[in-house]
Amino acid sequence: MNKRMLSVNDFCRLYGIGRTKTYELIARGELRARRVGNRTLIPFDEAEAWAAKLPTIIPRAGV
């Protein structure tokens, strides 16, 4: 991906989460975004940093 900024819709498609959850993350300060006029844009490096902080799922033995 060559984009430096993602629209909220692009972010949602790329990371598989909904718009409501995305705006909740922004409101809580867990995901940084920028306003350009009426648009909310998420810097790609901020999106990647958010994704890197997600917990890793460790499979249990015998499952």
Side-chain angles (χ1 to χ4, degrees):
M1 171 157 288
N2 288 333
K3 288 187 175 188
R4 294 188 61 190
M5 302 285 269
L6 300 169
S7 68
V8 170
N9 286 340
D10 289 341
F11 177 82
C12 292
R13 272 192 298 275
L14 187 61
Y15 292 97
I17 65 172
R19 290 174 52 87
T20 301
K21 184 65 171 180
T22 299
Y23 283 110
E24 287 174 5
L25 292 168
I26 293 168
R28 288 196 309 254
E30 294 179 35
L31 177 64
R32 289 180 170 182
R34 307 286 187 269
R35 292 297 305 225
V36 179
N38 290 333
R39 295 192 70 197
T40 300
L41 299 175
I42 301 162
F44 187 73
D45 59 337
E46 295 288 343
E48 287 292 293
W50 169 81
K53 293 177 191 173
L54 293 174
T56 301
I57 297 174
I58 301 170
R60 293 183 289 158
V63 175

